[in-house]
């Protein structure tokens, strides 16, 4: 019988009082197992520690830009200006002017804080609305930093065409483009795998002396080419880099390793890795280690993953929190709960912090197995440790309850996500739509789909696949036909989101 799911955003999910598993602290390495241990988590009693997360940083040094012959047809034009003299008018009524200035300053702070807050929360539509309001104020001055933040946000929110509009608007306001701004725009298109547009931006950069592409630009464009397995385009980009004396860095090579690994081209992957080991410019780092472990972990090749872990340790590369999260995720997908617990114990003993990703991987493992009991326990412990849940957390919870057939808790989880102000992205809506499909509630599924589009959240291939399969089970071919037409329109507009992201 169909279970009706009504999306209300007012109530909260109460934590379930599940049992505390037995704790064993004898693990010495990430791969040590103890079969007498309960399959869930292992060291929740240890105090949580905090460390700074390692992030790649872009070089702050200014590099000389080079362009090939004929790419930049013009030469620098010097301009002269005549400086005139003017007499300042006398200042009258200073108090009123100061009052107006203070009020204006307060208004500036209010609007700019609202803009910063919406950007931090990754609310791209709200950010654009606040920014448009800011532009209408008399005190507004265009700033490169503001445009950069918005371009990055739109790129991450999969809105390349809006990013292009914003970029053109920036030019109209008189701001000079930079290599960094162009690369941010290019990244927005690359996230959508719009490779042709990415090459168009690259070629445009080559014609501008102050916006010459650098290694970060090329690495950004190489990634979608690799993801699309268009390795011939990758070769052309490497040749272009060589012609400009731009040396691939470790990030570039890590992208190649990941691409070859996902494509199953292990021979090429090993060749790139060997070159990195012999190179002085792009030595393998912990990101290389994480990339290789992810490749084998995602393919379920646990033995290879463990073997490469030991190899990288022998190379002198130290693991980080993300490394262990990758191991936990891989073990969880294979339901190797003992090893998953051992890695978590090892992290505690070695003082590596458990992060949101750590908990997400454990929650996902139980969600995939439809084990709502242990999934809830992990989520409750996550909150008890003060760890902030994110969109993936709630996607996993929704999937887990749907897999377990506990559809009324899907509703509670959606309500809780609203209370936590969790961003409702494509993955989030896909999870809810999938839950509706599993509950055979096609009417609610269509309502969620409509809400998704009303919220300017673009459906992706998985969205349509879930709905078409649900309609196919009921023999609703007319609905499938309408969805196919809509999907083709989305593809024609270049708005589809890569479901693998």
């Amino acid at each position: 019988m169909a279970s009706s799911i009504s999306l209300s955003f007012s109530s909260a999910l109460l934590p379930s009082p599940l049992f505390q598993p037995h704790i064993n602290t004898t693990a010495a390495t990430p791969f040590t197992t103890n079969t007498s241990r309960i399959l869930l988590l292992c060291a929740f009693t240890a105090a949580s520690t905090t460390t700074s997360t390692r992030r790649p940083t872009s070089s702050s040094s200014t590099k000389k830009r080079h362009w090939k012959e004929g790419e930049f047809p013009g030469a620098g034009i010097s301009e002269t200006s005549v400086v005139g003299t003017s007499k300042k008018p006398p200042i009258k009524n200073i108090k009123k002017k100061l009052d107006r200035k203070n009020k204006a300053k307060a208004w500036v702070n209010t609007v700019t804080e609202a803009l910063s807050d919406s950007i931090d929360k990754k609310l791209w539509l709200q950010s654009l609305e606040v920014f448009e309001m800011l532009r209408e104020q008399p005190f507004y001055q265009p700033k490169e930093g503001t445009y950069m933040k918005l371009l990055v946000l739109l790129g991450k929110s999969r809105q390349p065409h809006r990013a292009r509009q914003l970029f053109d608007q920036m030019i109209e306001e008189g701001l000079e483009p930079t290599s960094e701004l162009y690369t941010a725009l290019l990244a927005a298109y690359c996230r959508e795998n719009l490779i042709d547009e990415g090459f168009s931006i690259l070629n445009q950069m080559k014609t501008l002396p102050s916006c010459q592409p650098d290694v970060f630009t090329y690495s950004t464009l190489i990634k979608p080419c690799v993801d699309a397995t268009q390795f011939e385009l990758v070769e052309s980009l490497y040749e272009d880099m060589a012609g400009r004396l731009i040396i691939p860095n470790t990030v570039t090579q890590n992208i190649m390793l990941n691409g070859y690994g996902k494509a199953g081209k292990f021979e090429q992957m090993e060749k790139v890795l060997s070159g990195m080991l012999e190179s002085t410019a792009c030595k393998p780092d912990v990101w290389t280690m994480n990339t290789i472990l992810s490749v084998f972990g995602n393919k379920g090749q646990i033995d290879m993953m463990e073997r490469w872990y030991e190899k990288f340790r022998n190379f002198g590369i130290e693991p980080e929190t993300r490394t262990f999260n990758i191991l936990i995720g891989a073990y969880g997908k294979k339901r190797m709960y003992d090893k998953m617990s051992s890695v978590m114990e090892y992290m505690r003993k070695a003082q590596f912090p458990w992060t949101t990703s750590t908990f997400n991987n454990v929650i996902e493992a139980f969600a995939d197995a439809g084990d709502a009991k242990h999934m809830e326990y992990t989520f409750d412990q996550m909150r008890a440790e003060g760890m902030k849940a994110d969109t993936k957390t709630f996607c996993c919870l929704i999937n887990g309850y749907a897999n377990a057939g506990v559809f009324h808790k899907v509703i509670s989880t959606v309500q809780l996500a609203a209370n936590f102000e969790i961003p409702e992205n494509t993955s989030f809506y896909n999870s809810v739509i999938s839950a509706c499909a599993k509950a055979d509630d096609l009417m609610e599924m269509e309502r969620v789909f409509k809400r998704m589009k009303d919220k300017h959240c673009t459906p992706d291939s998985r969205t349509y696949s879930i709905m078409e399969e649900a309609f196919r089970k009921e023999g609703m071919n007319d609905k499938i036909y309408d969805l196919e037409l809509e999907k083709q329109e989305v593809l024609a507009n270049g708005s589809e989101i890569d479901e693998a992201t």
Side-chain angles (χ1 to χ4, degrees):
M1 182 175 65
S3 176
S4 177
I5 300 177
S6 177
L7 295 184
S8 169
F9 292 84
S10 58
S11 63
L13 172 66
L14 296 176
S16 300
L18 302 177
F19 65 88
Q20 171 76 21
H22 175 68
I23 296 173
N24 187 304
T25 57
T26 59
T29 71
F31 309 123
T32 303
T33 61
N34 187 331
T35 55
S36 65
R37 182 168 48 224
I38 294 179
L39 295 181
L40 184 56
L41 313 173
C42 45
F44 282 128
T45 56
S48 61
T49 58
T50 59
T51 63
S52 59
T53 304
R54 182 177 301 180
R55 297 177 182 269
T57 57
S58 58
S59 175
S60 60
S61 60
T62 303
K63 297 181 180 179
K64 184 177 180 181
R65 311 296 184 190
H66 298 280
W67 55 89
K68 294 181 179 179
E69 183 178 355
E71 285 182 344
F72 179 61
I77 300 176
S78 61
E79 297 181 356
T80 59
S81 61
V82 179
V83 180
T85 59
S86 62
K87 185 177 180 181
K88 293 183 179 180
I91 299 176
K92 297 180 180 180
N93 207 338
I94 296 177
K95 185 177 184 305
K96 285 185 178 180
K97 289 192 174 185
L98 287 175
D99 288 342
R100 286 198 300 269
K101 183 177 180 181
N102 289 334
K103 288 180 181 179
K105 184 176 181 181
W107 176 243
V108 172
N109 291 338
T110 301
V111 178
T112 53
E113 286 175 4
L115 178 60
S116 177
D117 183 61
S118 59
I119 291 175
D120 290 342
K121 291 181 179 179
K122 301 179 181 179
L123 304 173
W124 67 266
L125 185 58
Q126 181 177 319
S127 297
L128 291 182
E129 290 172 349
V130 175
F131 182 57
E132 190 60 32
M133 182 174 62
L134 178 64
R135 291 180 66 238
E136 294 173 355
Q137 306 309 313
F139 53 75
Y140 169 74
Q141 292 292 333
K143 295 181 180 179
E144 177 185 321
T146 305
Y147 274 101
M148 174 61 80
K149 291 178 181 178
L150 286 170
L151 286 171
V152 171
L153 173 62
L154 289 172
K156 291 181 177 180
S157 303
R158 314 222 177 254
Q159 299 294 326
H161 301 300
R162 290 181 183 266
R164 177 84 250 187
Q165 293 171 3
L166 187 73
F167 188 88
D168 293 340
Q169 175 182 294
M170 178 192 72
I171 302 300
E172 291 174 1
E173 289 188 345
L175 282 178
E176 292 293 331
T178 63
S179 173
E180 291 75 18
L181 287 166
Y182 263 111
T183 300
L185 176 62
L186 183 143
Y189 283 100
C190 288
R191 282 180 177 272
E192 288 292 272
N193 292 330
L194 300 174
I195 298 175
D196 290 342
E197 288 83 351
F199 272 94
S200 177
I201 294 172
L202 175 66
N203 292 331
Q204 187 177 358
M205 292 177 69
K206 293 176 183 178
T207 66
L208 302 173
S210 61
C211 301
Q212 292 298 292
D214 56 18
V215 66
F216 301 106
T217 310
Y218 281 98
S219 297
T220 302
L221 186 52
I222 284 172
K223 187 178 187 307
C225 296
V226 168
D227 291 341
T229 65
Q230 296 191 29
F231 294 107
E232 69 282 356
L233 292 179
V234 175
E235 292 298 327
S236 70
L237 288 172
Y238 266 84
E239 291 175 5
D240 198 10
M241 291 173 67
R244 294 170 177 276
L245 303 181
I246 298 176
I247 300 175
N249 59 17
T250 302
V251 173
T252 318
Q253 301 298 68
N254 286 344
I255 292 171
M256 292 300 302
L257 286 173
N258 189 48
Y260 282 136
K262 287 181 176 179
K265 296 179 178 294
F266 298 117
E267 184 177 340
Q268 291 90 328
M269 186 177 74
E270 186 175 348
K271 183 179 179 181
V272 172
L273 184 56
S274 298
M276 293 178 72
L277 292 170
E278 297 171 0
S279 171
T280 57
C282 54
K283 286 283 187 182
D285 58 8
V286 68
W287 288 86
T288 313
M289 179 184 193
N290 293 342
T291 297
I292 298 297
L293 296 183
S294 292
V295 166
F296 290 113
N298 290 334
K299 289 184 176 295
Q301 299 184 20
I302 301 300
D303 290 342
M304 288 293 293
M305 181 186 72
E306 292 179 349
R307 195 172 301 132
W308 273 103
Y309 174 84
E310 297 298 338
K311 284 185 179 180
F312 280 112
R313 292 301 305 273
N314 292 335
F315 292 155
I317 298 175
E318 294 295 324
E320 60 180 7
T321 299
R322 183 170 180 267
T323 312
F324 295 117
N325 287 342
I326 291 169
L327 296 175
I328 290 170
Y331 290 137
K333 286 183 176 65
K334 300 293 287 186
R335 302 188 185 183
M336 301 172 70
Y337 300 129
D338 279 350
K339 288 197 171 185
M340 184 174 72
S341 295
S342 295
V343 176
M344 297 183 76
E345 284 189 61
Y346 182 83
M347 290 175 70
R348 283 293 204 218
K349 297 182 77 171
Q351 297 186 335
F352 285 93
W354 288 357
T355 64
T356 297
S357 294
T358 310
F359 284 100
N360 283 350
N361 286 335
V362 179
I363 290 173
E364 185 175 24
F366 293 122
D368 290 344
D371 188 345
K373 182 178 180 180
H374 288 100
M375 180 185 74
E376 281 183 341
Y377 175 83
T378 308
F379 180 62
D380 290 345
Q381 189 61 43
M382 179 183 188
R383 296 175 67 186
E385 294 207 3
M387 198 64 60
K388 185 177 180 181
D390 59 13
T391 303
K392 182 178 178 180
T393 312
F394 282 90
C395 288
C396 293
L397 290 171
I398 292 169
N399 292 334
Y401 286 129
N403 289 337
V406 191
F407 296 109
H408 69 279
K409 287 197 174 183
V410 171
I411 303 170
S412 301
T413 305
V414 172
Q415 294 166 349
L416 185 62
N419 294 339
F420 283 1
E421 298 183 346
I422 298 297
E424 299 174 353
N425 60 14
T426 302
S427 296
F428 180 86
Y429 280 107
N430 283 350
S431 297
V432 181
I433 288 173
S434 178
C436 293
K438 289 176 182 176
D440 296 324
D441 192 342
L442 304 190
M443 186 178 296
E444 186 60 36
M445 181 183 75
E446 290 185 278
R447 281 200 290 265
V448 175
F449 184 55
K450 182 179 183 302
R451 175 181 173 83
M452 177 183 189
K453 292 185 288 187
D454 290 343
K455 288 288 186 177
H456 302 279
C457 190
T458 310
D460 64 6
S461 297
R462 184 167 183 268
T463 315
Y464 291 106
S465 176
I466 294 169
M467 296 185 67
E468 288 178 8
E469 181 61 29
F471 289 135
R472 189 173 290 109
K473 285 171 60 179
E474 300 297 326
M476 303 171 71
N477 295 327
D478 55 334
K479 294 281 189 180
I480 297 174
Y481 178 77
D482 292 340
L483 280 178
E484 278 295 324
L485 290 179
E486 180 178 329
K487 182 168 68 173
Q488 293 302 321
E489 184 179 353
V490 170
L491 289 171
N493 292 334
S495 302
E496 186 191 24
I497 298 174
D498 181 13
E499 64 181 288
T501 303

